[in-house]
Amino acid sequence: MKITTYNVNGVNGRLPVLLRWLEEEKPDIVCLQELKAPQEKFPEQSIKDAGYNAIWHGQKSWNGVAILARNLEIKETRRGLDGDPEDLHSRYIEAFVGGIVVGCLYLPNGNPAPGPKFDYKLSWFERFSKHALALLEYDLPVVLTGDYNAIPTEFDVYKPERWVEDALFRPETREAFKNLVGQGWTDAIRKLHPDEKIYTFWDYFRNAYGRDAGLRIDHFLLNPQLENRLLKAGVDRHVRGWEKTSDHAPVWIEIKDL
């Protein structure tokens, strides 16, 4: 089974790119972030015509998350996180798909930092970590994947000295990610590629993709029941080179079927 996460950066504006990639790679489960579309504007029919069932949580102009599944039933189990009833952003959706609990997230960017947006980022991270800890109690395979807007280490960013004040790389963000993984999760990319420089995002400016000046901010965290089924992990980085594409590339894992 192949599971993929992809910050599509506008599901309608990038729909031709998304459909082309789905046709080429045919992943079994897909987590999308940054839909930038209200609930009623999600391209459900186009996704269905491509062979995928879908659940989604849209939001006008910004945010938005979705889970797609090819030839698999999706049973939604949660949308949003507990702990802040005033937080109406569409940043988390969770479902039971193919025998796996799949959490799809779009963690806040947090810039400029310090400031209210960074405070919200850390608060959201704390709420998410609390939920993640509860998921570890499940006697089921669990994957938490998406755009974490977190650069774990200096090895995960081109010229880290340029990012020291950015919300994605500030010590508080790296510590939050480290503590999350430390609950008992496995960073799938790093488990299989511990010494390889891998990026998942390249800015649109200054020919970042051409220079390979990237970041690793899209992650797969696996609980022990799923980690022992992990076979492969990688990035479809060529998709970032397509015309009118997202600034992120799809990131994927392959797991052993039971």
Side-chain angles (χ1 to χ4, degrees), residues 71-171:
N71 301 323
L72 292 168
E73 182 182 3
I74 307 175
K75 294 183 178 180
E76 183 177 325
T77 55
R78 167 180 287 270
R79 58 177 59 198
L81 295 172
D82 296 335
D84 185 357
E86 296 184 3
D87 182 9
L88 303 179
H89 289 192
S90 54
R91 294 187 175 276
Y92 186 75
I93 193 166
E94 185 181 286
F96 189 62
V97 192
I100 300 170
V101 178
V102 179
C104 171
L105 66 136
Y106 178 40
L107 206 138
N109 177 284
N111 281 306
K117 290 185 177 181
F118 189 58
D119 293 342
Y120 171 61
K121 178 191 187 85
L122 295 180
S123 172
W124 200 96
F125 219 141
E126 184 177 351
R127 290 161 55 211
F128 175 67
S129 295
K130 187 175 294 186
H131 179 61
L133 188 60
L135 288 175
L136 283 173
E137 299 298 320
Y138 286 21
D139 189 23
L140 290 166
V142 182
V143 55
L144 298 176
T145 187
D147 179 357
Y148 281 73
N149 270 315
I151 304 168
T153 70
E154 292 188 353
F155 190 54
D156 298 299
V157 55
Y158 176 81
K159 293 192 175 179
E161 65 274 10
R162 295 184 177 180
W163 290 83
V164 290
E165 296 301 326
D166 193 281
L168 280 64
F169 195 53
R170 285 180 65 94

Side-chain angles (χ1 to χ4, degrees), residues 150-195:
I151 304 168
T153 70
E154 292 188 353
F155 190 54
D156 298 299
V157 55
Y158 176 81
K159 293 192 175 179
E161 65 274 10
R162 295 184 177 180
W163 290 83
V164 290
E165 296 301 326
D166 193 281
L168 280 64
F169 195 53
R170 285 180 65 94
E172 301 95 325
T173 302
R174 285 185 280 163
E175 185 69 13
F177 186 83
K178 179 181 177 182
N179 290 339
L180 171 63
V181 174
Q183 292 177 348
W185 300 94
T186 295
D187 180 344
I189 289 286
R190 275 292 162 250
K191 176 179 173 60
L192 297 186
H193 305 278
D195 303 315

Side-chain angles (χ1 to χ4, degrees), residues 48-61:
K48 185 176 291 187
D49 291 344
Y52 286 83
N53 299 315
I55 61 170
W56 66 95
H57 186 196
Q59 183 175 339
K60 185 178 180 180
S61 300

Side-chain angles (χ1 to χ4, degrees), residues 6 31 131 207 242 244:
Y6 188 18
C31 293
H131 179 61
N207 190 33
W242 291 354
K244 297 182 179 179

Side-chain angles (χ1 to χ4, degrees), residues 10 12-13 22 42 47 66 68 86 91 93 98 108 128 143 152 154 157 174 193 217 237 240 248-249 253 256:
N12 288 303
L22 289 174
F42 183 83
I47 298 297
L68 319 182
E86 296 184 3
R91 294 187 175 276
I93 193 166
F128 175 67
V143 55
E154 292 188 353
V157 55
R174 285 185 280 163
H193 305 278
I217 56 175
R237 60 170 292 150
R240 176 61 180 84
H248 294 249
I253 63 170
K256 186 186 307 181

